[in-house]
Amino acid sequence: MIVVENLVKEFRVPEREEGLSGSLRTLLTRRYRTVRAVDGVSFDIPAGSRTAYLGANGAGKSTTVKMLTGVMTPTSGHCLVNGLEPYRNRRRTARRIGVVFGQRSQLWWDLSVPDSFRILRRIHDIPDAVYQRNLRLFRELLDIDALATTAVRQLSLGQRMRAEIAASLLHDPEVLFWDEPTIGLDMVLQEAVRELVNRVNRELGTTVLLTSHDLADITSICDTALVVDHGRVIYQGRIDQLLSTAGQRCVIFEYRGGPSPEAVAAEVEHALPGTRVRLDGQRVRIDHPVGLLSSREVLSFLLERVDLTECYVPEPDLGTVLKELYTRNGHRGRAPGGAA
Amino acid sequence: MNPLRPAFRYTPFVTGSLQSLLRYRSMFAISAVTAAASAAMMIFLWRAVHSSSPDGPPGGFDTAELTTYLLVAQILGLLHANRVDDEVSAEVYRGHVAAMLLKPVSYPAVRAFACLPVIGTNALFAGLPVLLLFALLVPLNVPRPVDALLFAVSAVLSAAVAYLVNLLVGMAAFVTTNTWGIRLMKQTVVAFFSGQMVPVGLMPDALAAVTRLLPFHTMVDSPLTLLLGRYDGVPGILGVLGLQLLWTAVMCAVAALVWRFAVRRLEVLGG
């Protein structure tokens, strides 16, 4: 559905010099520096998948999405969405994709949401049945009727995002590109948005490419992850497999009676080498490296030593795993965008 | 499939633009007052020049003809005030144009359809009152019906050229942020070289020659040549309309090229 091959995007940015004398100099002679935002990225996203496009700030995510949606033309390489090169077939691509850029509105600033929808219905030639079905869905899940006839520019961020999300789905697109879709939404609406996209994916087989800094969005919407760092793909695969690559696991527990928490901590660190123990009141947290110990070993040790009342073995969190992944690829510390 | 279907797709931009226009009622009054004031200034200035001219009317214009020319030139100016330059430069400057690129429509076409109500309302709420007002105040030349008809055709072409000029001016926002300066420059250039201030027939020969090489005279001087019957039979008519058509086509091609180049340049403002 989405094929990206050796995609490169370079920008020419003017070098600015410091201070007033520097500003005067740049007025006369301007030097440019080439910044490679996307560095030969290749990947392939099958139809019907829900993929999170992840990467630190400056990793080239939004640049790639802009090329995939046809807003930008790559410097070299190419990408195909639904068999079309988006920047060459902009209008034909636009009929088949739905886009949300959280930072930038897709709606008509001076018009109300129903008016904007009427325009979208016309320019996309949306059949009556599809239009009515989708409006019903948005009413039910996003409560879009509450936005009434207020002009889009007067809506709050959360209200506007609901309208943007609905607008991106109105024409039953085959591919959804969502960039930060849940900013400004409260918990209930975030949940509703996740349910909406999962429903559309299930019922219509819509392919979803999501970029978000909200890890809850990612884990509840997506099943696969594509991780880029400094313009290169460093991981592509299932999210649960990505999580299992975590180098550290932890066990959190509470207990009754027995030795003091400090004594338990000292004993654990001594008996299970490589572990680190942190105390939080009655609660004890043991971090242990995956290679040396399994959660089972840690647990059986605890069951013998103390009278457990509560115990949690959480799945490693995505944020930590991603941080590890970036560090392993040794790219940290270089300036984002890395001058070429 | 209905061949008109693609055009049909753009009709919501016409209604949308009309809706937002109707929110600013005072705008029409201001346009009308401005046009009336500048028409009055031009007309009375030229009438003074005319009456003190010792060797008869210059360039073969009599007073009523010259008055008609200057008044209708101002009204054509209202049809050219299609706001395309403002809208395009604002949308490019704020980056809203990127959102339009994500829609299955051509942005220049959207702007063309959206400026139709601007032209229509300007004509109705500003142009017509000004015309009626001056018809009561000063003697005007009443055109022959055939000339009025030719003028209508020519005025449509002049509005098309004005749209293309403003589209190009608006697209200047891709390269500079000082779109205000460029718009001001355009206004001056157009007001002068279109023949809105001085009929091309009254310009010194060298200046008139330069003016005839530029597209702007097709915006005011051409329609008025037809309205006042200052042409030489059918070949004269065809010459005027043909030149207008030619400039419309040339400007269309230029605008399309610039637009394609500009879209590729959008990366810089991509944000």
Side-chain angles (χ1 to χ4, degrees):
Chain A
M1 180 56 81
I2 301 174
V3 181
V4 172
E5 266 167 22
N6 293 316
L7 200 63
V8 173
K9 182 71 198 182
E10 287 175 344
F11 295 107
R12 247 159 51 100
V13 286
E15 293 240 280
R16 299 206 197 284
E17 291 179 48
E18 277 175 43
L20 181 61
S21 62
S23 300
L24 286 173
R25 231 174 293 139
T26 47
L27 194 63
L28 296 173
T29 55
R30 191 164 289 179
R31 274 180 307 167
Y32 289 91
R33 178 169 63 99
T34 306
V35 170
R36 191 170 263 232
V38 177
D39 184 14
V41 167
S42 301
F43 57 83
D44 193 337
I45 293 173
S49 67
R50 293 162 294 156
T51 305
Y53 196 39
L54 304 171
N57 291 328
K61 290 179 306 222
S62 31
T63 310
T64 308
V65 172
K66 282 186 184 125
M67 290 189 275
L68 287 171
T69 50
V71 178
M72 273 190 197
T73 312
T75 310
S76 68
H78 73 276
C79 53
L80 294 175
V81 173
N82 228 325
L84 293 173
E85 277 187 88
Y87 36 87
R88 279 175 219 242
N89 304 279
R90 198 177 54 71
R91 272 188 265 168
R92 270 210 286 166
T93 305
R95 312 201 142 270
R96 314 174 94 177
I97 64 173
V99 184
V100 173
F101 284 144
Q103 311 294 340
R104 192 153 271 172
S105 180
Q106 311 292 305
L107 301 163
W108 283 268
W109 222 226
D110 285 326
L111 299 182
S112 69
V113 173
D115 282 340
S116 288
F117 282 9
R118 272 192 284 275
I119 296 185
L120 288 171
R121 176 192 196 171
R122 184 63 68 77
I123 62 178
H124 281 289
D125 282 331
I126 305 173
D128 229 18
V130 172
Y131 187 72
Q132 296 305 340
R133 181 200 56 188
N134 284 342
L135 278 190
R136 258 201 312 280
L137 190 63
F138 304 149
R139 274 196 199 109
E140 179 195 327
L141 288 172
L142 299 174
D143 192 23
I144 48 159
D145 282 346
L147 311 180
T149 53
T150 320
V152 169
R153 69 185 135 81
Q154 289 163 331
L155 296 176
S156 73
L157 179 61
Q159 291 174 320
R160 206 198 81 211
M161 288 314 291
R162 275 145 69 188
E164 301 273 349
I165 284 166
S168 76
L169 289 165
L170 200 59
H171 54 293
D172 277 358
E174 287 162 61
V175 189
L176 276 180
F177 294 97
W178 276 8
D179 188 13
E180 302 288 344
T182 57
I183 51 168
L185 296 184
D186 62 32
M187 303 277 267
V188 178
L189 279 163
Q190 282 186 3
E191 238 349 274
V193 167
R194 290 168 197 153
E195 191 191 326
L196 181 62
V197 67
N198 286 327
R199 192 140 133 190
V200 167
N201 169 267
R202 199 170 53 237
E203 289 171 9
L204 303 171
T206 312
T207 311
V208 183
L209 189 68
L210 175 88
T211 66
S212 178
H213 286 108
D214 186 333
L215 297 174
D217 275 355
I218 293 163
T219 42
S220 58
I221 296 174
C222 301
D223 50 11
T224 50
L226 185 69
V227 187
V228 277
D229 194 28
H230 289 93
R232 295 183 156 280
V233 174
I234 55 176
Y235 179 85
Q236 182 177 10
R238 296 190 55 84
I239 288 185
D240 46 16
Q241 273 165 15
L242 178 63
L243 292 177
S244 71
T245 66
Q248 294 273 328
R249 294 287 169 80
C250 79
V251 176
I252 299 164
F253 65 93
E254 284 171 23
Y255 65 98
R256 213 170 12 212
S260 73
E262 288 76 16
V264 174
E267 195 173 345
V268 169
E269 280 181 346
H270 178 75
L272 305 172
T275 53
R276 208 153 43 90
V277 181
R278 271 180 284 178
L279 303 176
D280 179 16
Q282 274 308 106
R283 190 167 274 203
V284 187
R285 176 186 168 118
I286 303 175
D287 285 291
H288 61 91
V290 170
L292 293 173
L293 287 165
S294 65
S295 307
R296 186 196 163 107
E297 287 169 301
V298 177
L299 267 179
S300 48
F301 176 79
L302 290 176
L303 284 169
E304 265 177 38
R305 304 297 305 157
V306 291
D307 184 9
L308 285 185
T309 52
E310 295 277 7
C311 182
Y312 315 90
V313 186
E315 192 172 31
D317 80 286
L318 189 57
T320 319
V321 175
L322 285 174
K323 243 183 288 170
E324 278 178 23
L325 191 63
Y326 297 148
T327 325
R328 256 208 306 284
N329 280 272
H331 282 306
R332 289 296 78 184
R334 239 169 74 179
Chain B
M1 196 174 105
N2 183 349
L4 281 177
R5 190 120 182 215
F8 192 60
R9 216 171 261 156
Y10 291 93
T11 50
F13 296 104
V14 179
T15 36
S17 151
L18 187 61
Q19 276 177 295
S20 27
L21 271 177
L22 295 177
R23 276 186 209 155
Y24 309 101
R25 276 180 305 181
S26 60
M27 213 175 54
F28 302 117
I30 294 171
S31 301
V33 170
T34 317
S38 69
M41 203 175 69
M42 297 300 297
I43 288 168
F44 294 118
L45 183 76
W46 273 103
R47 282 164 75 97
V49 171
H50 216 233
S51 62
S52 63
S53 172
D55 32 79
F61 278 102
D62 65 33
T63 311
E65 265 186 327
L66 193 59
T67 311
T68 310
Y69 183 102
L70 294 167
L71 177 63
V72 178
Q74 288 299 324
I75 292 169
L76 280 171
L78 285 170
L79 304 190
H80 300 156
N82 50 32
R83 305 219 320 220
V84 169
D85 47 350
D86 306 28
E87 302 275 349
V88 173
S89 60
E91 290 200 314
V92 170
Y93 183 68
R94 292 195 212 119
H96 290 336
V97 72
M100 287 307 298
L101 290 178
L102 293 167
K103 310 240 153 55
V105 285
S106 144
Y107 180 68
V110 166
R111 279 286 142 235
F113 279 89
C115 85
L116 292 178
V118 181
I119 299 173
T121 48
N122 265 349
L124 197 64
F125 297 124
L128 199 61
V130 171
L131 181 68
L132 294 176
L133 176 71
F134 279 87
L136 293 175
L137 290 179
V138 286
L140 293 173
N141 192 319
V142 179
R144 292 186 300 157
V146 61
D147 289 342
L149 198 69
L150 287 171
F151 168 79
V153 175
S154 181
V156 170
L157 288 170
S158 104
V161 172
Y163 154 76
L164 291 164
V165 168
N166 282 352
L167 181 65
L168 282 166
V169 167
M171 285 195 278
F174 281 107
V175 280
T176 173
T177 48
N178 186 7
T179 54
W180 180 80
I182 291 188
R183 292 207 304 267
L184 198 68
M185 208 157 70
K186 177 222 63 176
Q187 254 165 25
T188 318
V189 168
V190 168
F192 190 77
F193 286 105
S194 64
Q196 194 178 331
M197 286 160 104
V198 184
V200 180
L202 296 187
M203 288 181 180
D205 288 346
L207 192 60
V210 173
T211 305
R212 284 189 218 281
L213 287 179
L214 295 171
F216 309 112
H217 76 278
T218 64
M219 293 164 69
V220 174
D221 198 72
S222 299
L224 281 163
T225 302
L226 297 175
L227 184 73
L228 298 175
R230 295 169 68 87
Y231 54 84
D232 234 355
V234 177
I237 297 172
L238 291 180
V240 171
L241 291 179
L243 195 63
Q244 282 193 296
L245 267 177
L246 180 72
W247 271 117
T248 310
V250 169
M251 301 280 289
C252 247
V254 172
L257 262 174
V258 172
W259 172 247
R260 275 182 65 177
F261 176 77
V263 168
R264 251 177 264 153
R265 205 194 141 81
L266 186 67
E267 55 186 52
V268 180
L269 300 165

